[in-house]
Amino acid sequence: MPRRSRILTSIAVLAVAGLAVAWGMSAPHPLTAAEIPAHQPDIANGKVLFNAAGCLSCHKPGPDLKNVDASLPAGGSPFKTPIGTFYPPNLTPDPETGIGKWTDLEFVNAVQRGISPEGENLIPAFPYTSYARMKTSDVLDIKAYLASLSPVVSPEKQAQIPAPWLLRRGVGLWKHIAFRTDQWQPDPGKPAEWNLGAYIANGPGHCNECHTPRNMFMAFDWSKQFAGGPHPGGEGKVPSLHDLIGRGKYKDASDLASAFQNGEMLGYEDMASGGMGEVQTNLSKLPDSDVQALADYISSLK
Amino acid sequence: MKKNLAAVLALAVGVGIIGAGAGLAAGTADDMINARQAEMKVNMKAMKALVSMLKGETPYDTAAVQAAAKSISDAQAEGVAKDVWNTSSQTGATVKSGAKPEIWTDAAGFTEAWKNLDTAVAALSASTDEASFKAAFPALGAACKGCHEKFRAAE
């Protein structure tokens, strides 16, 4: 074989191998049943985490479900992203249109690995990259809380996105570079309250999703954690969370806790636009001790 | 009859002049944005005064509550007179604006959000003692938050 065509052949072989690797890499890698801890679910804890995680903000009932209790995550409300509009689905226990028939494993794989029961990659507009860092027992408690709600019939609506099939495989590739699945680890050198706040912020609260800028691969740039930047929704900017007290934004950590509890309802500025209003509404539903812990952690960011 | 026609004509010309006047008053995009941000700063100043009474940092004072409420409605009236939310403010601005395009694509929703503010301010003005002030206050905060959630972009 002439040298030139040998090179061409090896390039072709490499290309095919590369595609095959990319194909394999883009396939979802779900957790197995053995990785799910045995756990006695705690519905009250599940409710706290449901609020901390803001599930309702995105999974709230859509405009066509006017008669449905607005506190039920019946789904179908449009969620706009730069790539298209999603309709986050029904999380109530309706067996046909909700998650009534889902197993614990299916639920944990969706919330912590971004994989649907059909084995497809979910789009990370659903902040599973943060939820992955939660304790799996907390995720199981959310499932128990959801199962305790009244079922609502609310069929899934198709997302309006270009080439969904290719996009979902693309997300599979992206997960290899950008998806960190290690659970949040407390810092033994810090007080328990600070660690609770750090867990809420980095796990369920998914504060990084908006307040931490991303690098060219759309992965969190941890060297700039909580430094703020362009809004992931494509409109405006997200402020930095560093040195909020030194910069005179809040008097002290209790003042910041009050801002989380009351937001613009009590004249705190910069707590409503760009999705923060819904986050703040969710934080206002948490026990005081959780909000104070979150404020302690956030105000410690220098 | 002739007189009537003349009156109608005069009226029509008058309206035309007022119309042109309103168009002029809208001014440049920068003027509109600066004016409405000044309006919002008045709102925030009123809000801070009310919150301070609510928290008991300054003593409750009926006159002060009414003054704060009046400053909000005056600022709003000035905004209307200057037509600060005119759709033309979307182009050609050099100052930064937090106005979202939804203000113009969902005009009905935006009007509704102003009505919420009007209702809240009216209730505050009508409050006569600390208890009725405290009862009326949350609707004001909800009006600010509600509109910003939908119609204001962060920074």
Side-chain angles (χ1 to χ4, degrees), chain B residues 39-40 42-44 46-47 50 65-81 114 117-126 140:
Chain B
E39 169 188 347
M40 289 296 164
V42 172
N43 289 346
M44 186 49 89
M47 190 75 186
L50 294 168
V65 170
Q66 287 176 350
K70 185 168 182 304
S71 72
I72 297 176
S73 42
D74 285 355
Q76 194 186 339
E78 198 184 329
V80 172
W114 282 117
L117 185 71
D118 290 345
T119 314
V121 169
L124 270 178
S125 308
L140 180 71

Side-chain angles (χ1 to χ4, degrees), chain A:
Chain A
M1 220 195 280
R3 194 181 143 78
R4 206 181 137 77
S5 76
R6 273 229 317 263
I7 291 175
L8 279 179
T9 318
S10 30
I11 288 176
V13 167
L14 273 177
V16 169
L19 273 179
V21 169
W23 186 249
M25 282 176 74
S26 69
H29 295 284
L31 291 165
T32 58
E35 290 169 278
I36 306 292
H39 176 64
Q40 184 63 41
D42 175 347
I43 294 179
N45 184 49
K47 182 174 183 178
V48 170
L49 281 144
F50 174 82
N51 285 327
C55 313
L56 186 65
S57 300
C58 298
H59 291 268
K60 64 185 171 228
D64 49 331
L65 296 175
K66 283 215 168 58
N67 301 326
V68 170
D69 177 352
S71 71
L72 291 174
S77 178
F79 180 78
K80 293 201 183 84
T81 74
I83 56 166
T85 302
F86 291 85
Y87 301 89
N90 185 1
L91 301 180
T92 70
D94 181 59
E96 299 312 322
T97 65
I99 61 168
K101 284 185 189 157
W102 286 36
T103 64
D104 285 357
L105 182 62
E106 285 170 334
F107 186 76
V108 171
N109 268 318
V111 177
Q112 299 203 279
R113 290 296 179 274
I115 301 167
S116 77
E118 294 77 36
E120 277 187 320
N121 284 309
L122 295 164
I123 307 300
F126 169 24
Y128 55 80
T129 43
S130 294
Y131 299 153
R133 316 210 61 200
M134 291 171 69
K135 287 181 251 177
T136 298
S137 59
D138 280 347
V139 175
L140 293 172
D141 287 348
I142 294 181
K143 180 167 187 277
Y145 168 68
L146 292 172
S148 76
L149 300 173
S150 317
V152 176
V153 177
S154 163
E156 188 169 352
K157 290 185 208 148
Q158 277 304 315
Q160 286 154 359
I161 45 172
W165 178 80
L166 200 63
L167 194 68
R168 292 191 188 285
R169 293 304 288 223
V171 167
L173 279 178
W174 172 82
K175 280 180 176 173
H176 282 275
I177 348 178
F179 191 15
R180 171 174 186 177
T181 54
D182 55 319
Q183 292 195 345
W184 179 259
Q185 294 303 326
D187 178 344
K190 292 282 200 321
E193 187 170 63
W194 185 95
N195 275 313
L196 173 61
Y199 174 67
I200 294 173
N202 291 283
H206 64 281
C207 315
N208 288 299
E209 298 287 339
C210 296
H211 286 281
T212 297
R214 291 163 197 267
N215 61 21
M216 61 186 289
F217 300 112
M218 293 304 286
F220 290 126
D221 182 349
W222 295 114
S223 71
K224 299 200 183 92
Q225 194 184 13
F226 294 129
H231 196 290
E235 211 166 47
K237 280 200 192 134
V238 185
S240 162
L241 297 182
H242 288 273
D243 200 19
L244 288 171
I245 291 164
R247 287 190 285 128
K249 288 263 175 175
Y250 304 90
K251 275 191 277 251
D252 49 30
S254 313
D255 191 32
L256 180 58
S258 167
F260 288 148
Q261 274 161 336
N262 302 291
E264 295 201 0
M265 299 281 292
L266 214 55
Y268 287 100
E269 263 185 87
D270 302 329
M271 275 280 168
S273 310
M276 192 59 207
E278 284 184 314
V279 171
Q280 183 268 315
T281 303
N282 294 323
L283 294 178
S284 75
K285 296 178 191 158
L286 296 186
D288 288 356
S289 50
D290 284 4
V291 180
Q292 189 60 53
L294 179 64
D296 275 2
Y297 168 70
I298 296 291
S299 59
S300 78
L301 301 167
K302 283 295 167 246

Side-chain angles (χ1 to χ4, degrees), chain B residues 54-145:
Chain B
L54 192 81
K55 289 186 178 163
E57 290 162 3
T58 47
Y60 168 78
D61 173 3
T62 313
V65 170
Q66 287 176 350
K70 185 168 182 304
S71 72
I72 297 176
S73 42
D74 285 355
Q76 194 186 339
E78 198 184 329
V80 172
K82 290 186 182 161
D83 198 12
V84 297
W85 302 102
N86 193 293
T87 170
S88 66
S89 65
Q90 289 180 91
T91 42
T94 59
V95 290
K96 243 173 52 184
S97 165
K100 285 177 69 167
E102 280 81 352
I103 292 176
W104 298 280
T105 55
D106 177 15
F110 193 56
T111 306
E112 183 71 37
W114 282 117
K115 277 206 194 114
N116 294 340
L117 185 71
D118 290 345
T119 314
V121 169
L124 270 178
S125 308
S127 71
T128 48
D129 55 16
E130 194 165 359
S132 53
F133 159 60
K134 286 195 167 158
F137 180 80
L140 180 71
C144 314
K145 178 175 170 179

